[in-house]
Amino acid sequence: MNSVEYLSLRFAREPSIVSRKIAGEFILVPIKQKAGEIESIYSMNEAAGRIWELIDGEKQAVEIRDAIIGEFEVSREEAEADLIEFLRQLEKYNFVKTV
Amino acid sequence: ESRRPYKRPKIEQVRL
């Protein structure tokens, strides 16, 4: 799948992932297990947290890219490449799925 | 051009 096709996809968050913003950092907690069985949590920086907030099951990835360009000092090319890489990482963790 | 400084989106696993 090329980048144009990938950017046309819509992504939704997995409902089993809880996110919180704590002291300026975004934390993701998978809640598939009991509290005592959680082995890992995930920490994200500001740009990653903003992308996570924008993933709503309705926006296409290209719309998320444009929102990031509008909010951060980043070129279109860099924002696009980073977004695709980040979304693929979230897919690998099973934190998001395409809808 | 309220735009915030950009750092590449990054996610890190923290083992408990």
Side-chain angles (χ1 to χ4, degrees):
Chain A
M1 184 184 296
N2 65 37
S3 62
V4 174
E5 290 169 333
Y6 194 81
L7 288 169
S8 70
L9 297 174
R10 289 179 168 84
F11 290 86
R13 301 179 216 161
E14 277 295 337
S16 62
I17 308 297
V18 170
S19 61
R20 290 288 183 273
K21 190 175 182 179
I22 302 169
E25 269 198 61
F26 286 83
I27 306 293
L28 298 184
V29 183
I31 52 167
K32 289 174 184 170
Q33 316 101 320
K34 294 175 186 172
E37 294 171 353
I38 293 173
E39 291 179 350
S40 301
I41 60 173
Y42 296 80
S43 167
M44 300 192 293
N45 66 6
E46 187 182 16
R50 186 64 187 122
I51 291 168
W52 179 260
E53 286 177 334
L54 290 164
I55 294 170
D56 60 2
E58 294 183 5
K59 289 184 190 69
Q60 290 180 296
V62 69
E63 294 175 89
I64 295 174
R65 179 203 66 188
D66 291 343
I68 292 298
I69 293 167
E71 294 178 29
F72 291 91
E73 293 168 353
V74 61
S75 71
R76 176 183 164 139
E77 292 75 19
E78 188 180 3
E80 186 170 299
D82 288 350
L83 175 64
I84 290 171
E85 186 182 340
F86 182 62
L87 287 171
R88 288 200 163 125
Q89 203 171 7
L90 292 178
E91 283 188 290
K92 192 180 75 178
Y93 283 138
N94 291 320
F95 288 176
V96 299
K97 59 186 174 189
T98 54
V99 291
Chain B
E1 285 175 324
S2 62
R3 290 168 82 201
R4 289 172 277 171
Y6 177 79
K7 282 187 181 172
R8 171 180 284 198
K10 187 177 170 187
I11 181 166
E12 285 182 322
Q13 186 175 19
V14 181
R15 288 199 171 277
L16 303 177

